[in-house]
Amino acid sequence: MTPLNIQEWQSLVRHYEDLKFVSMREQFALDSGRFDSFSQQCGDLLLDYSKNRITKETMEQLIALAEAAKISEWAERMFTGEAINNTEGRAVLHTALRNRSNTPVMVDGEDVMPAVNAVLTQMKKFSQQVHTGEWLGYTGKKITDIVNVGIGGSDLGPAMICDALEPYAIEGMSAHFVSNVDGTDLSTTLEKLDPETTLFVIASKTFTTQETITNAQSAKTWFLQFGTQQDIAKHFVAVSTNAAAVAEFGIDTANMFEFWDWVGGRYSLWSAVGLPIALYVGMDNFERLLDGGHEMDNHFRTQPLAENMPVIMGMLGILYINLFGSQTHAIVPYDHSLARFPNHMQQLDMESNGKVTNRQGQRLSYKTGPVIWGTPGTNGQHAYFQLIHQGTQLIPVDFVLPVNSHYPECDHQSILLANGLAQSEALMKGKTAEEVRAELVQEGYEGKELEALLPHKVFPGNRPSNTLLFPKLTPEMLGQLVALYEHKVFVQGIIWDINSFDQWGVELGKQLAKAILPDLQDGVEISEHDSSTTSLIERIRALRQ
Ligand code: G6Q
């Protein structure tokens, strides 16, 4: 049902007419308990959402809307295996992959937990064999390099996690990720590697994705310059739902790690797609990641909506996108090892909620998913933060702040944290003309010169942010963070009445390239395209070496 007809939505729209004039700075001055009112804890993770353009009434209205949209009921439908991915007729059960309570989760009358646990056991056994040297390369050497070949959901999640958990890496083990079909990606990776000590993990849910299969074939060709066909079994394993295609590619299905169609690509890092994580940081740490995800699942499933972190973050997003008209949302981790975190969140959010039709197939008359972007702080401060502070768009920011570094010997953490806090404070407060004037006078400016400079140094402020603060980036914490955003995206999808779990736009890309590929060959008659595409194909043919 369209949210526009929900009474709570209309009431929120009316409330916004006053809210848009409310100043956060004034609200902080009036209420010393604002942080206490607008912060929420889940385990070691703190969400401070007090620097948002909200009053107590706003939150009541947002939570009332979440209740009216039946968020809790929808969450239960997801957790219990109902086919809520209606366009593909599938359950959505990434939560079962991290269901550490091991309670049954039924899909079509069958408990999926025994299969989930069997794959976890297989991953554990295999990663231990690799780490202990029971599994050796074809010349008897230990495996030192894991190359994950995958793209999209079969790449971004595990790549982000491996980067983030680098301090937990098994000694002597390196992880590489090849995703782009641009040969540069594979070639520059292989250049550094020794085939005798390299293990390729070919990760593809469908095992038909053009980029992955092309990269996997080229990796095999590279390997066969050194080893024999028989040696492939020691150096290539697969992660997929498609055993037939894995066998056809030439990987023994005994070396295949299974997952299921109820795991969406962008939600698959918790499945066997996490194999490179287990190989890189050990299965214990992979299980700690699952534990963190499970903790957030329990929070989401059991906390009242008003104290529910994913619900709060999701509903704040609705406020900015649908009322304030924000089109983008920045995620800025003040942790260099989370450099790929915004990329993973970008796929998670934009692929899930980049939709223009509701669950019934009707075109929407309201905005859905925002553009998600970001890079680590403090780097972003020296680049795009200018626009967030003084630009004409309202861009909500999530600051992700670990208190302690894994590298305390390099004592930079206080500077890093001070910068993160200073940004959120400045975005909220801004700088008034009076404050700028006082500053300029102190600096010796006066008269026309002062008046000319003054407006440029005024900051409007009232720019919203969340702060996610936690003691240290452990595997559990990372699991909590990822699951938090997954559920946030879910909440927004329910409010917008869209299916967050299909991705027809991605499928379109897969079809289109296949249609153009033959046209790039010299001598072949170019099939029918628009004049731009045809001319570009002709130009490419002419320029090809
Ligand atoms: C994710 C998307 C997409 C997918 C890739 C790779 O949710 O469906 O990013 O993960 O297209 O697909 P395969 O794993 O099937 O190769």
Side-chain angles (χ1 to χ4, degrees), residues 150-156 203-212 239 259 264-268 273 347 351 501 503 506-507 510:
I151 196 165
S154 301
D155 166 73
L156 285 161
S204 175
K205 181 172 167 178
T206 53
F207 230 78
T208 55
T209 304
Q210 191 183 37
E211 294 94 323
T212 300
V239 175
F259 65 116
R266 54 199 172 275
Y267 299 89
S268 65
V273 169
Q347 176 186 32
E351 216 169 88
F501 301 103
Q503 57 286 310
V506 176
E507 312 303 334
K510 291 185 183 186

